[in-house]
Amino acid sequence: MHKPIAVLLASAALLAGAVHAQDNAAAVAAATDSATRWLAVADAGKWGDSWDQLAPAAQAGVSKAAWSSGLPPVRDPLGAVKSRKLQSADFTRTLPNAPPGDYVVIQYATEFANKPQSVETVVPMRLPDGSWKVSGYFVR
């Protein structure tokens, strides 16, 4: 291979990597914004509304009634959110037990009134229209 062609191919590969990184950064930003809005609804104890704002794939896995009755026993004993700090937000296309797609796994260091050292994980997924909706939520 000629040196100019090798340099051109290497430059194209670097450019493609940079574009991919920008796409991932934009996805992470949009997914994090969606998670923040969803968490505000959950923090307010609006369980039915939080279900309404889930991704359709998540809604298919749990009824609104089951969600609305299952979340309060998990969240209510924790008390009010005193602080929440973004720890990580990682773009991925695969998750265990989830259909292929675009996901962002977001972790927050959260201080609840009754559990000061918690980690919340929120997993938004990209919908076919390009929007992001939460498909999973976990607290430990």
Side-chain angles (χ1 to χ4, degrees):
M1 185 178 298
H2 293 29
K3 186 175 181 181
I5 293 173
V7 169
L8 181 62
L9 290 175
S11 296
L14 286 172
L15 181 60
V19 168
H20 183 69
Q22 284 179 329
D23 289 346
N24 287 353
V28 167
T32 302
D33 183 53
S34 176
T36 300
R37 288 191 315 273
W38 185 87
L39 283 166
V41 173
D43 290 346
K46 297 178 180 178
W47 309 121
D49 291 346
S50 72
W51 185 89
D52 290 339
Q53 294 179 23
L54 289 174
Q59 290 175 331
V62 61
S63 71
K64 186 173 185 175
W67 180 266
S68 296
S69 65
L71 228 52
V74 173
R75 279 289 302 266
D76 289 350
L78 301 173
V81 173
K82 294 176 79 175
S83 70
R84 178 180 284 131
K85 182 179 177 188
L86 180 67
Q87 281 187 316
S88 64
D90 299 309
F91 179 86
T92 185
R93 289 204 163 88
T94 58
L95 287 174
N97 303 315
D102 291 347
Y103 298 89
V104 176
V105 179
I106 305 169
Q107 291 197 314
Y108 298 92
T110 304
E111 181 182 354
F112 290 99
N114 301 325
K115 189 175 182 196
Q117 295 182 346
S118 300
V119 175
E120 287 180 294
T121 303
V122 183
V123 184
M125 69 181 297
R126 188 185 335 241
L127 301 184
D129 68 0
S131 67
W132 290 86
K133 288 199 172 186
V134 171
S135 64
Y137 174 71
F138 314 94
V139 180
R140 62 176 167 89

